[in-house]
Amino acid sequence: MSADHSHDHDHHGHKHGPDCGHNHDVVYNKVVKANHKVAAVLLRNAKTIELTFDERQEVPHDVKATDGSTLICHLHDTVEVGDKLVSNTNEWAIVAAAQEELFEVARGQKGFEEFLHVAGLNFWPAQLNDTGARVVASHECMHMLEHFELKFSTLTAPMLEIVAPELKHQDCCDHDHGHAHSHEHKHGPDCGHDH
């Protein structure tokens, strides 16, 4: 049986018995949050696992580490970049962000704020930056971008911090950036809403 055991064992509903074909001697089942100080010596042999945003919300059972090995994870918590996983045998793994497909939407386009609002309501992972927003690519997201007639580009990059658009306006800082008027939502004939 080759190391990359192709998933031909799925037909029995993934029962975890002694014969499920996984090595269950080492199971990563604890999360140590990123802001928690960990002695460097413990992390000396830590593996690195790169997870997409979705995988960090629900860590898969089999996770490939960057060294090519597969780690068995039984975790019920979401994890963030920089979190450490600890196995029952006290081995460590560090969570990193995997490259994934993102849509980059330039700000300043009509409909940009509305789109961010929709993204926030749908809990789509969005990351705001100086030029606009990056959103994890999905079909729903693409339809919404087209609906708002927003121009966007596709790129492959890690999705790091998620910034909920709603939270960003009020308390990002105490001085006014001159965009405070943008969400007063004046309704004129060209506000872009269907009246």
Side-chain angles (χ1 to χ4, degrees):
M1 177 150 164
S2 65
D4 66 39
H5 54 258
S6 59
H7 285 291
D8 53 358
H9 59 270
D10 284 349
H11 56 260
H12 54 253
H14 230 64
K15 278 195 289 297
H16 280 290
D19 56 351
C20 72
H22 289 95
N23 170 359
H24 272 170
D25 300 342
V26 181
V27 177
Y28 287 80
N29 54 10
K30 282 211 298 280
V31 176
V32 177
K33 297 312 279 177
N35 55 12
H36 202 84
K37 285 270 179 283
V38 175
V41 59
L42 291 171
L43 299 175
R44 203 171 47 207
N45 300 318
K47 294 179 184 292
T48 299
I49 55 173
E50 295 184 340
L51 301 175
T52 64
F53 179 81
D54 280 347
E55 289 170 341
R56 297 196 299 269
Q57 308 318 296
E58 189 173 334
V59 179
H61 177 270
D62 303 350
V63 177
K64 273 251 189 294
T66 50
D67 66 0
S69 59
T70 299
L71 312 187
I72 307 297
C73 295
H74 285 186
L75 296 170
H76 304 295
D77 307 330
T78 61
V79 297
E80 288 164 26
V81 175
D83 285 356
K84 318 295 179 283
L85 308 184
V86 192
S87 75
N88 55 344
T89 54
N90 234 9
E91 291 178 51
W92 289 70
I94 300 170
V95 176
Q99 301 271 327
E100 56 186 312
E101 197 177 318
L102 307 177
F103 294 146
E104 189 156 52
V105 190
R107 70 169 75 243
Q109 302 184 68
K110 198 168 99 178
F112 181 79
E113 296 279 336
E114 280 96 330
F115 168 71
L116 281 188
H117 186 66
V118 171
L121 292 176
N122 288 317
F123 297 106
W124 293 338
Q127 188 177 24
L128 294 177
N129 54 33
D130 297 339
T131 54
R134 290 181 170 184
V135 191
V136 170
S138 66
H139 280 298
E140 303 86 78
C141 182
M142 188 190 283
H143 287 310
M144 198 47 72
L145 286 164
E146 287 167 354
H147 170 76
F148 283 121
E149 295 179 6
L150 287 163
K151 292 190 184 59
F152 63 96
S153 54
T154 304
L155 75 161
T156 304
M159 174 54 81
L160 295 171
E161 50 165 343
I162 303 306
V163 184
E166 270 67 32
L167 311 174
K168 207 55 188 159
H169 293 307
Q170 287 85 34
D171 47 26
C172 58
C173 52
D174 48 18
H175 58 261
D176 182 17
H177 283 293
H179 60 232
H181 58 273
S182 66
H183 48 256
E184 273 165 28
H185 241 58
K186 281 193 281 303
H187 280 291
D190 56 4
C191 69
H193 288 92
D194 178 15
H195 286 291

